[in-house]
Amino acid sequence: RVEAKVALVTGAAKGIGLNARLFAREGAADALTDIDTGGIMAVAEEIEAAGRKAIGFRHKMVEETESKG
């Protein structure tokens, strides 16, 4: 059901990152955010190594200024 969709996963560098991997396995492209830049890039690289699409961004959800475009 997620084939050809984008999953936006916040806090994806740690435990919830397991959900990002699941979305990727089911065919979604993942847009991953977390304050932990190294962790989020590692998750994105792992997903891409499995042949799926993922991109990671540093993002701090508790800071309103970080969420404005």
Side-chain angles (χ1 to χ4, degrees), residues 17-64:
L18 296 174
N19 291 330
R21 292 174 184 94
L22 176 61
F23 289 137
R25 276 196 306 270
E26 294 297 320
D30 285 348
L32 312 170
T33 70
D34 200 290
I35 193 169
D36 176 3
T37 305
I40 201 62
M41 293 311 195
V43 173
E45 288 172 6
E46 178 184 329
I47 290 169
E48 288 192 330
R52 299 297 185 175
K53 293 182 181 180
I55 189 166
F57 298 95
R58 184 193 176 283
H59 182 239
K60 188 174 181 181
M61 288 297 295
V62 297
E63 297 290 334
E64 182 178 351

Side-chain angles (χ1 to χ4, degrees), residues 1-8 23 26-31 53:
R1 291 196 265 200
V2 296
E3 187 74 37
K5 298 192 184 221
V6 176
L8 172 61
F23 289 137
E26 294 297 320
D30 285 348
K53 293 182 181 180

